[in-house]
Amino acid sequence: MEKKRLSDLPDELLLKILSSLPMFKETLATRLISKRWKGPWKLVPDVMFDDDDTPFKSFETFMSFVYGSLLSTDAQILDRLHLKLNQNYSASDINFWVQIAVNRSVRELRIDLFGKTLELPCCLCSCRTLKELTLHGLCIKIVPPSFRLSSLEALHLLSVKFLGDESVASLLKICPVLEHLVVDQIKNDNVKISNIDVPTLRNLSIRNSKGKHGKRTYVEGSNGFVIKAPSLTELNFEDTLSNFTMFEPMPEVIKANIQVICDQSENFIGSLTSIQHLSLCSLTSKTPYPACTVFSSLKHLELCTCSAGWANLLACILNAAQELRSLKLKSKHSAKYSDPMSLWKEPTVVPDCLSKHLEILEWRQYEGTEQERNVAEYTLANATCLKMATFSTRCRNKNHRMLKKLKSMDRVSKTCQLVFD
């Protein structure tokens, strides 16, 4: 009987044999690998397997390439593995590929499944080198309580669906040293209230929107986030869907970019007691912090002027931010709202930040409305230390009436430079 070599077997049969081997037999599989998988298929430190690439004309060709690359005897340390899988693959295939990456001391892992379900590979529990995990376009199964990602520092959840509210919390609980979290939801999700409770978290970025970037869409029912991250230093929170948000005290946050649509409780930006840089867009009709709040460290404020009550919110913040050095006003959204414009209520006492500290005023999309003229006039008349006031308008005629009015406004600071761009 003629003996057949492993290399004589069809790709489909050979892949079936290799994929059925237990993960701990990787060394044996490497020895059995076909000669046709040697040479050009050498694993580089940063590799992506995408079954939608043109060279892969068939499922078998792609599988041959993946196994040939990962099982190469010349394989070295693997810094990053990206699996971009449009077709259906068994859990054993994905587990096998991830196991090899773990054996290669992988530091970053990304899995894209385009709407399919993922069960986290159990081999990740034994991985001591994995620092960053990105999951994109998939549904994740409930994570067992015993599962641990003990070295994971950064987690990116991009269009990830969960089986229920507790799945979000359970996933975060298995990451005991997590410092960076990104949550990007751009479609309707089945989780109504997302609980983010991570004591070690330093950087949090959340985007919860639908359709075009920044478009606001009101939803019915209770939808939103409860965030408890006492060690957080930087927050990027864009939520144009939720009608409920709660921030627990976050005394370490120094920089925050916040865009929300819902009326907030006093435990909103009032929890950011050490904030230094704040970019805020809010439709709230209430001051989103207790009346006695003082933002003693706030030096730079960017406020969106798209809401009806932006001017009065500005007045409140100016009183609370006694050390403010720079102020930027900008309309980030062009949407029209039904609420009537709240007229500017001039502060009875000039805020300390205007009379003692404000040096830079930058106003983008200045339209010259009555509301805007009143705020501009008050600021220029009371900002004693102002060095530069920049107004960006759509008007290119230097003799336009709007620009003439700005130029004629009294400036208490004799060194203030008025700039138009």
Side-chain angles (χ1 to χ4, degrees):
M1 182 177 177
E2 183 182 359
K3 293 183 178 179
K4 284 188 174 290
R5 295 177 300 174
L6 191 62
S7 58
D8 293 332
L9 296 176
D11 280 353
E12 186 175 2
L13 178 57
L14 187 53
L15 291 172
K16 187 174 182 179
I17 294 174
L18 288 177
S19 63
S20 66
L21 289 173
M23 293 180 182
F24 62 82
K25 292 187 178 179
E26 181 201 339
T27 304
L28 175 60
T30 303
R31 293 175 183 173
L32 296 176
I33 195 100
S34 167
K35 289 183 179 180
R36 61 179 177 270
W37 288 342
K38 292 183 179 180
W41 293 350
K42 298 192 178 183
L43 198 61
V44 294
D46 189 339
V47 63
M48 178 178 73
F49 295 126
D50 182 358
D51 63 5
D52 200 35
D53 278 352
T54 303
F56 304 123
K57 298 180 180 179
S58 68
F59 177 83
E60 289 75 19
T61 303
F62 175 73
M63 295 285 280
S64 297
F65 180 80
V66 174
Y67 275 99
S69 298
L70 291 176
L71 294 176
S72 170
T73 54
D74 297 319
Q76 54 186 299
I77 295 294
L78 181 59
D79 287 331
R80 184 174 186 268
L81 174 63
H82 183 178
L83 298 175
K84 196 173 181 181
L85 308 175
N86 291 269
Q87 301 186 52
N88 291 316
Y89 298 90
S90 67
S92 61
D93 282 324
I94 297 177
N95 288 344
F96 186 77
W97 299 337
V98 173
Q99 174 68 70
I100 296 174
V102 170
N103 293 345
R104 304 275 187 245
S105 302
V106 66
R107 293 180 57 84
E108 298 180 26
L109 174 64
R110 172 166 177 156
I111 302 177
D112 299 10
L113 290 187
F114 301 92
K116 294 178 283 294
T117 301
L118 173 72
E119 182 176 346
L120 285 178
C122 58
C123 60
L124 292 178
C125 278
S126 62
C127 186
R128 297 293 179 265
T129 59
L130 186 66
K131 300 297 181 183
E132 182 173 327
L133 174 63
T134 300
L135 304 177
H136 177 230
L138 54 84
C139 180
I140 190 167
K141 289 186 176 181
I142 294 177
V143 183
S146 59
F147 202 101
R148 282 290 179 274
L149 297 174
S150 57
S151 301
L152 195 69
E153 297 176 356
L155 176 62
H156 300 252
L157 303 175
L158 313 179
S159 297
V160 172
K161 288 193 174 184
F162 296 88
L163 298 179
D165 292 1
E166 289 305 314
S167 295
V168 180
S170 63
L171 179 59
L172 297 177
K173 285 180 180 178
I174 70 172
C175 309
V177 297
L178 191 67
E179 295 185 1
H180 307 277
L181 175 62
V182 176
V183 179
D184 194 343
Q185 299 288 2
I186 57 175
K187 296 181 180 179
N188 291 331
D189 196 6
N190 56 329
V191 178
K192 299 302 181 182
I193 301 295
S194 293
N195 290 284
I196 297 177
D197 185 353
V198 187
T200 58
L201 203 61
R202 305 290 291 175
N203 188 298
L204 173 61
S205 179
I206 293 177
R207 182 185 170 214
N208 185 36
S209 62
K210 180 181 180 180
K212 293 176 64 178
H213 182 76
K215 183 178 180 181
R216 286 163 164 165
T217 307
Y218 291 88
V219 293
E220 296 181 357
S222 182
N223 297 268
F225 293 84
V226 176
I227 299 175
K228 185 177 181 180
S231 300
L232 203 68
T233 59
E234 186 168 342
L235 173 65
N236 187 0
F237 189 79
E238 179 187 346
D239 190 351
T240 60
L241 286 176
S242 298
N243 49 36
F244 172 80
T245 299
M246 179 179 290
F247 289 171
E248 296 289 336
M250 294 184 285
E252 302 298 321
V253 172
I254 59 175
K255 185 175 183 180
N257 175 22
I258 301 173
Q259 299 182 39
V260 291
I261 63 171
C262 53
D263 284 342
Q264 303 298 334
S265 68
E266 290 186 347
N267 292 326
F268 186 37
I269 66 172
S271 64
L272 311 178
T273 53
S274 298
I275 190 74
Q276 296 179 18
H277 299 253
L278 175 62
S279 178
L280 177 63
C281 177
S282 174
L283 294 186
T284 181
S285 58
K286 305 173 184 177
T287 304
Y289 54 85
C292 59
T293 300
V294 175
F295 298 107
S296 59
S297 300
L298 185 60
K299 302 294 192 299
H300 309 279
L301 172 65
E302 179 177 336
L303 185 66
C304 187
T305 60
C306 67
S307 67
W310 70 268
N312 291 319
L313 178 58
L314 171 63
C316 292
I317 297 179
L318 290 179
N319 280 316
Q322 300 175 356
E323 301 290 326
L324 194 68
R325 295 293 197 276
S326 71
L327 171 63
K328 182 175 182 179
L329 301 174
K330 180 180 180 181
S331 180
K332 295 182 178 180
H333 309 95
S334 58
K336 296 180 180 180
Y337 305 103
S338 58
D339 294 341
M341 185 66 69
S342 300
L343 294 179
W344 161 257
K345 296 178 182 177
E346 187 175 295
T348 54
V349 178
V350 177
D352 279 355
C353 66
L354 288 185
S355 60
K356 298 179 182 178
H357 301 292
L358 190 70
E359 298 177 350
I360 303 295
L361 170 64
E362 182 180 352
W363 199 321
R364 298 291 170 183
Q365 291 91 41
Y366 181 84
E367 299 289 344
T369 63
E370 180 183 1
Q371 178 86 300
E372 292 179 342
R373 289 198 310 271
N374 290 339
V375 175
E377 190 171 26
Y378 180 85
T379 304
L380 293 175
N382 291 284
T384 307
C385 302
L386 199 63
K387 295 179 179 179
M388 180 175 290
T390 303
F391 291 86
S392 175
T393 70
R394 290 180 293 181
C395 179
R396 293 294 175 260
N397 183 358
K398 294 182 179 180
N399 296 318
H400 193 276
R401 182 182 177 186
M402 178 176 62
L403 299 185
K404 284 185 176 180
K405 286 187 175 182
L406 280 172
K407 292 177 182 178
S408 65
M409 291 180 182
D410 291 334
R411 279 170 276 166
V412 66
S413 173
K414 303 304 179 183
T415 60
C416 177
Q417 182 180 0
L418 199 61
V419 179
F420 301 102
D421 66 2

